[in-house]
Amino acid sequence: MPQTDRVTRKLLLLALTAAYAWVIWRMTLTPHVFSHAENALVLHAVAWVQHLPHGGWFTYDRTEFLANVAMFVPVGTIAALWLPRRWWIVGAVVAVVLSCGIEFAQAEYLPYRVADPRDVLSNGLGGLLGATLVGFVRSLLPDRRRPTRLHARTV
């Protein structure tokens, strides 16, 4: 890979990392995630799904758990993309460490937020899912470090 392609890739990854770090900060370390109207919309959506056939399992707590999983899939993905291809699993560890830091900050410094150990579990699952996706895709791609050997064909 030419040097300019590598630099461009790293700059794009840096921009993506910074943008998603802002999203994580906004969703976890600010006083209110949703406005009153947005929260009411979420509650109405959950109630609507619960009225569907077999929708009774869809509670607010489960919705929040699944949303936390989904929110940390990009964290595991981005972390794994920064790492060498064989270290993809460390992306999941990064997500768990970040989640532990967020929950600690919420418990110690943010009285308007509620720290919940279940968030570490759901965030860790999301990070594992994202990192695993990167590891799987990379396993399907040829390793750029190893040159492909061309074999001469004899007739």
Side-chain angles (χ1 to χ4, degrees):
M1 175 183 283
Q3 185 65 24
T4 55
D5 288 347
R6 239 182 246 135
V7 170
T8 301
R9 180 183 171 274
K10 292 292 183 183
L11 286 174
L12 287 172
L13 190 54
L14 182 61
L16 180 63
T17 303
Y20 207 71
W22 181 85
V23 169
I24 293 295
W25 168 79
R26 172 72 180 84
M27 296 298 290
T28 62
L29 298 174
T30 58
H32 302 288
V33 176
F34 297 121
S35 68
H36 180 70
E38 291 167 332
N39 197 43
L41 180 65
V42 169
L43 292 174
H44 285 318
V46 169
W48 179 79
V49 171
Q50 287 178 334
H51 284 92
L52 295 174
H54 309 292
W57 69 272
F58 198 76
T59 63
Y60 184 83
D61 286 342
R62 288 186 178 140
T63 304
E64 183 182 24
F65 187 87
L66 293 173
N68 280 333
V69 170
M71 182 174 61
F72 267 69
V73 169
V75 172
T77 301
I78 293 167
L81 288 172
W82 277 109
L83 296 164
R85 90 188 269 153
R86 294 183 192 265
W87 290 38
W88 63 267
I89 192 67
V90 176
V93 175
V94 168
V96 171
V97 169
L98 177 62
S99 182
C100 288
I102 288 168
E103 295 306 313
F104 175 79
Q106 287 178 346
E108 294 296 318
Y109 305 111
L110 306 170
Y112 45 81
R113 296 301 295 254
V114 176
D116 187 348
R118 291 177 300 168
D119 289 350
V120 174
L121 173 63
S122 59
N123 296 345
L125 288 173
L128 178 61
L129 187 60
T132 301
L133 179 64
V134 169
F136 176 71
V137 170
R138 281 181 168 174
S139 74
L140 299 176
L141 301 173
D143 192 348
R144 290 182 304 219
R145 292 178 303 156
R146 294 185 196 159
T148 305
R149 294 185 183 197
L150 298 176
H151 298 284
R153 194 180 251 187
T154 57
V155 182

